[in-house]
Amino acid sequence: MTVWCSNDYLGMSQHPKVRAAMHEAIDEVGAGSGGTRNISGTSHYHVELEEELADLHGKEAALLFTSAYIANESTLSTLTRLMPGLVIFSDAKNHASMIEGIRHGGGPKHIFRNNDLDHLEELLKKVPLDTPKLIAFESVYSMDGNISSIGSICELAEKYNALTYLDEVHAVGLYGPRGGGIAELEGAMDRVDIINGTLAKGFGVMGGYIAASKACCDAIRSYAPGFIFTTSLAPAIAAGALASIRHLKVSELERARHRERVRTLKGLMKQAGLPVMENPSHIVPVMVGDPVHCKAVTDTLLTHYGIYVQPINYPTVPRAPSACASPPRRSTPISRWQPSSPPSKSCGPPAPSARANM
Ligand SMILES: Cc1ncc(COP(=O)(O)O)c(C=O)c1O
């Protein structure tokens, strides 16, 4: 069976350097970290990894979390508590972890339509210039594969005195000359205040982080319960992620091969008349448009062709009447097809379409 819906986009979970680094770390320091970051759970692997991540994103510092979900949830909720009166402007298609963080923070918020700069500006204008603000958005929206206008959002942030918080979870490792994500690709890293990323997708291991100024990371380190009150990542995980990041900073091979496979798959699907949604990223969403048909398609692929693609369904994507006009709606992308590496999402009951992670 071949898994076509993995988030291990570049197959780094199988990379010999990553595996060797993890084996070595286990032999050196054992299987577990032994504690929270502040109480015996910080090894030299954690410290080196944070330095590597800060360098990857051109920031003064980085802070590790056990997942990007926790990084988003903890950072956004903590920022709201630390900055009284902070108003958050959140893209309508933001990931659940950002939504939860914003909700948990309990401060005022405005939701702008997905990557709709006019709508964002309209909302920003309504809040006094000296009120603290933060714009939270993603670079690659993983359900329909669209890419946000980072430069233009940063311009608005500069004009209206807002901080920017960018989730690059589906872009780190994959985009940019060193795998720093879309902001690196577009030369916009220095305009984004806080970058969030995962070690579990492009980098093939596990864990999450933010990269930002030293002051910001220190504040989150000191106040975020999701950083303080939990056992740190196992040193071997940090070692594996470190090896993966270091490799992808200098190797273009995996990114080039990945781009070629995305092009090939999208081309073949279009040739075959399949309803592949257009987008500029590596995500290959195929809208089937009916949950029962979608399940039948993915079942057939599995049983007759040995291809595993997972239908994606509510609540990962919203319920909605039409599939293609407003992407992952009632229909789910056929899955995200990743023809070379292991699986990712299981999204519950039959969904109308599926999505392939290339
Ligand atoms: C946009 C986005 N942000 C954050 C996360 C959470 O990442 P992690 O799996 O590291 O918790 C995901 C997970 O799929 C995601 O799609």
Side-chain angles (χ1 to χ4, degrees):
M1 186 189 75
T2 312
V3 176
W4 280 38
C5 54
S6 172
N7 280 329
D8 181 12
Y9 293 123
L10 304 175
M12 292 305 287
S13 76
Q14 305 295 329
H15 198 285
K17 282 188 192 169
V18 175
R19 291 163 54 181
M22 295 184 74
H23 284 298
E24 217 173 278
I26 289 178
D27 291 342
E28 195 184 321
V29 296
S33 77
T36 64
R37 280 299 296 277
N38 297 329
I39 307 177
S40 88
T42 296
S43 70
H44 63 278
Y45 298 109
H46 297 88
V47 176
E48 274 186 59
L49 180 53
E50 286 178 339
E51 286 170 3
E52 200 68 44
L53 287 164
D55 173 77
L56 177 68
H57 293 291
K59 299 289 175 203
E60 289 173 353
L63 200 59
L64 277 175
F65 292 82
T66 47
S67 73
Y69 186 104
I70 302 292
N72 273 336
E73 201 278 336
S74 283
T75 305
L76 288 168
S77 59
T78 302
L79 280 176
T80 309
R81 284 198 298 277
L82 292 180
M83 298 175 73
L86 178 71
V87 179
I88 297 190
F89 298 80
S90 176
D91 189 287
K93 285 197 176 168
N94 275 345
H95 188 256
S97 50
M98 280 196 272
I99 296 170
E100 279 306 306
I102 294 166
R103 199 177 277 158
H104 190 187
K109 62 173 187 290
H110 296 282
I111 315 293
F112 60 97
R113 289 187 292 272
N114 179 230
N115 201 35
D116 184 334
L117 302 176
D118 293 337
H119 191 211
L120 173 59
E121 181 158 24
E122 194 186 309
L123 295 170
L124 282 164
K125 268 187 195 158
K126 291 185 182 160
V127 179
L129 202 61
D130 58 355
T131 298
K133 306 176 199 70
L134 180 143
I135 305 172
F137 62 115
E138 298 181 20
S139 56
V140 177
Y141 286 91
S142 65
M143 289 297 120
D144 54 24
N146 284 326
I147 293 182
S148 63
S149 317
I150 298 177
S152 306
I153 291 178
C154 289
E155 256 164 51
L156 286 177
E158 286 150 18
K159 184 169 168 190
Y160 292 95
N161 195 21
L163 293 167
T164 42
Y165 184 99
L166 176 63
D167 175 317
E168 288 256 39
V169 159
H170 289 274
V172 286
L174 286 86
Y175 295 88
R178 300 198 308 161
I182 302 285
E184 187 196 23
L185 185 70
E186 297 184 354
M189 282 196 305
D190 59 335
R191 297 178 77 187
V192 178
D193 295 295
I194 304 169
I195 295 179
N196 162 280
T198 186
L199 304 170
K201 299 185 194 294
F203 295 125
V205 191
M206 188 193 174
Y209 62 91
I210 55 162
S213 67
K214 197 168 173 311
C216 175
C217 289
D218 280 347
I220 302 299
R221 187 199 321 278
S222 310
Y223 289 96
F227 176 83
I228 301 169
F229 299 108
T230 190
T231 301
S232 61
L233 286 173
I237 289 183
L242 195 54
S244 183
I245 294 164
R246 283 182 176 157
H247 177 80
L248 290 173
K249 271 183 177 173
V250 293
S251 171
E252 185 57 24
L253 182 76
E254 291 78 8
R255 284 187 283 274
R257 186 186 294 153
H258 191 241
R259 281 194 297 272
E260 178 277 309
R261 295 205 176 162
V262 171
R263 256 195 320 275
T264 306
L265 180 63
K266 284 183 174 175
L268 288 170
M269 285 182 156
K270 277 182 206 153
Q271 259 176 38
L274 291 171
V276 188
M277 287 166 60
E278 291 289 345
N279 67 48
S281 75
H282 60 286
I283 307 285
V284 186
V286 177
M287 307 301 288
V288 175
D290 174 277
V292 177
H293 290 170
C294 187
K295 181 72 165 57
V297 168
T298 55
D299 282 353
T300 304
L301 284 169
L302 184 62
T303 40
H304 297 291
Y305 300 93
I307 292 175
Y308 171 75
V309 280
Q310 181 67 39
I312 296 184
N313 199 20
Y314 178 84
T316 303
V317 293
R319 283 194 190 105
S322 113
C324 300
S326 171
R329 288 290 164 145
R330 182 176 78 198
S331 44
T332 318
I334 234 177
S335 270
R336 309 174 330 160
W337 304 15
Q338 176 72 15
S340 58
S341 30
S344 61
K345 262 168 200 155
S346 161
C347 301
S353 88
R355 185 181 69 150
N357 276 347
M358 277 301 291

